Amino acid sequence: MLVAVICVVGCLCGFILFRKNVLRPGYVPGADKVKLSVIIPARNEACNLPHLLHALKIQTLEPFEIIVVDDFSEDDTREIAESYGVTVISNPSLPEGWTGKNWAVWNGYLQSSGDMIAFLDADIRLVPRALEILIMARQQAGGVISVVPFHYTVSFGERLALIFNFLGVFAFTSPIEKDSPNKGLYGSCILTTRADYETIKGHESVKGEMLDDLNLGAAFRKAGIQVTNFIGYGLVSFRMYAQGMRSRIQGFGKGAALGTSKMKGGTIALIALWVIGLVASETFFLFLNTSWWLPLFMGYLIYMMQLFYFVRYVGKFGIIMPILHIFSTVFMIVVMLYSVYQVVFLGHVAWKGRNVKVGSRREL
C-alpha cells in the first residue's frame, strides 16, 4: 500500500507543478510599431543558424535589426550569418570575470539600438507569427518574459531528454516560484525593453555567472520588474544538442546541479516527490515475485499516462520514450551525477570547448 501511495502522491505533484502557460494571440495597440532588436550569440552554430535566420526573415512583424555575435566559431557560423544579410559582429576577446555567452550577448546589446530586445539562442525555431505574439505577450504581462521552447527530437538519443525537459518545465512553471525573488528566466528566448534591461545593467550584472538566465531573472525581480515565463507550444521551439551524446551530457550537465540552488524549497520538494515516485514505479520489474510488483507497475502506468498528457505541450518525443520512460530516467540520473562531480570535485563545468570555473565563475 505504501508504494502505491508514493507513486500516486508523486504523480499528483507533477500536476501541481505543471502549468499550461502558453503564448496566445491577442491584439495590443502599438505592438506592431515596436523597434525590435534580435540578438543571437553563436558559437559553432552553422547547423542551427539557417533555421532561425530564415524564420526571422518571414516573420509577420519584421525585426528592426538582427545581430549575430560570432563567438570565436570554428565552423561556418559567420559565413552563414552573413549570407542572410544580417549584422554580424566578432566577439572581442573574453575579459577577466566574464563567461562566454554573457560576453557575447552583452556585445550584441552594445551594437543594438531597438527599444525592445529579444535574446535568442541559435537553435531556436519560430513560426511566422512568433515575434508578433511574443511582443503582444510582453506588452500584456509587462516586465520581462521568457519562453521554454517546445522540444523537437529526432533520434533516440535526443529523446532521452524527456525527463529533463519535464524537470525544466516544472521549475519554470511552478506556481510556488510566482513571487520568488530568485525567479529565473529561460535563456533560449528572452524579451525585454531596453529601458528595463539597462535598469539592471543587463548581462554585465551577471557577467561571471554560468546560469546567466536564472541570475538575470533574479536581477529583474530585485529591481521590481515582473518576470513571466511561458511554454512555447505552437510558436517557439528548438532541437537541443543534436550534435551527439557528448553535447547532451555537457549541455544538461552544465546547470543540472547549480540550477536547484535558485528554486524555492517548496518547488524542490514537489519535484523531489515527483522523481521519487517516478523512480519507485520504474523498479517494478525487480519485485516480480513479491506483492509489490503490481502497485509499482500500476504506478509506472500512471506516470506513463501523465507523461503522454504533458508531452503534448513540452515536446515531440515519439511514442516509445514515454512508454519506456525508465531509459530517460537513467539518463537523467547519470547526467545529475556527472553535474555534481563537475561542481563538487572538478570545480568547473565543460561546454563548447570551454571550462567554466564554478567557484570564481571564470573560464579556463
Side-chain angles (χ1 to χ4, degrees), residues 8 16 89 105 117 126 130 145 154 226 271 282 356 363-364:
V8 171
I16 296 172
I89 64 173
V105 171
I117 305 172
L126 303 170
I145 68 169
V154 175
Q226 180 69 30
I271 290 177
E282 292 169 342
V356 181
E363 298 192 8
L364 305 176

Side-chain angles (χ1 to χ4, degrees), residues 80-319:
I80 289 173
E82 289 175 339
S83 72
Y84 280 86
V86 302
T87 301
V88 183
I89 64 173
S90 296
N91 203 27
S93 297
L94 189 67
E96 182 71 21
W98 285 80
T99 59
K101 182 181 177 181
N102 289 336
W103 180 236
V105 171
W106 179 249
N107 281 289
Y109 150 73
L110 292 177
Q111 298 295 319
S112 69
S113 56
D115 51 31
M116 191 170 289
I117 305 172
F119 299 108
L120 302 179
D121 281 358
D123 57 4
I124 288 292
R125 317 284 175 91
L126 303 170
V127 302
R129 287 197 65 194
L131 288 184
E132 177 186 347
I133 294 173
L134 278 169
I135 288 175
M136 291 178 182
R138 199 230 64 89
Q139 301 286 63
Q140 291 173 333
V144 58
I145 68 169
S146 75
V147 179
V148 183
F150 186 86
H151 188 180
Y152 279 103
T153 63
V154 175
S155 67
F156 179 83
E158 292 174 61
R159 289 169 182 163
L160 288 172
L162 175 71
I163 300 302
F164 255 121
N165 267 86
F166 279 103
L167 297 180
V169 172
F170 288 163
F172 283 96
T173 64
S174 169
I176 297 174
E177 300 298 314
K178 183 177 181 180
D179 299 315
S180 170
N182 292 317
K183 186 175 182 179
L185 292 161
Y186 199 89
S188 293
C189 179
I190 296 175
L191 188 64
T192 178
T193 64
R194 176 175 292 273
D196 284 348
Y197 185 73
E198 292 177 347
T199 295
I200 66 162
K201 299 182 179 179
H203 281 76
E204 185 178 31
S205 66
V206 296
K207 62 183 181 181
E209 298 292 345
M210 180 66 198
L211 302 180
D212 59 291
D213 45 3
L214 299 184
N215 289 284
L216 194 68
F220 277 109
R221 293 287 293 131
K222 187 176 180 180
I225 298 169
Q226 180 69 30
V227 173
T228 307
N229 295 315
F230 296 91
I231 57 175
Y233 172 72
L235 290 172
V236 180
S237 61
F238 58 11
R239 184 182 173 195
M240 292 181 74
Y241 313 136
Q243 293 77 23
M245 186 59 70
R246 182 178 180 181
S247 70
R248 287 170 213 127
I249 293 175
Q250 288 188 347
F252 287 112
K254 62 185 170 69
L258 294 172
T260 56
S261 65
K262 298 297 180 181
M263 292 185 290
K264 279 190 170 183
T267 298
I268 295 173
L270 289 173
I271 290 177
L273 288 171
W274 187 81
V275 171
I276 290 170
L278 175 71
V279 173
S281 75
E282 292 169 342
T283 64
F284 74 89
F285 65 92
L286 298 175
F287 299 95
L288 292 177
N289 295 322
T290 73
S291 61
W292 285 17
W293 88 270
L294 184 57
L296 287 173
F297 182 66
M298 293 302 294
Y300 188 95
L301 294 178
I302 290 172
Y303 268 97
M304 182 183 74
M305 289 187 289
Q306 185 183 56
L307 292 175
F308 270 118
Y309 172 68
F310 286 162
V311 81
R312 296 181 299 169
Y313 304 98
V314 174
K316 184 179 180 182
F317 287 87
I319 297 175

Side-chain angles (χ1 to χ4, degrees), residues 47-114:
C47 61
N48 285 317
L49 269 179
H51 300 284
L52 175 57
L53 295 179
H54 172 73
L56 289 171
K57 291 295 184 180
I58 61 172
Q59 289 296 302
T60 55
L61 188 149
E62 183 180 356
F64 173 69
E65 59 187 354
I66 302 170
I67 300 172
V68 174
V69 185
D70 178 24
D71 189 15
F72 297 94
S73 297
E74 298 168 342
D75 60 7
D76 296 330
T77 291
R78 185 180 188 91
E79 290 76 12
I80 289 173
E82 289 175 339
S83 72
Y84 280 86
V86 302
T87 301
V88 183
I89 64 173
S90 296
N91 203 27
S93 297
L94 189 67
E96 182 71 21
W98 285 80
T99 59
K101 182 181 177 181
N102 289 336
W103 180 236
V105 171
W106 179 249
N107 281 289
Y109 150 73
L110 292 177
Q111 298 295 319
S112 69
S113 56

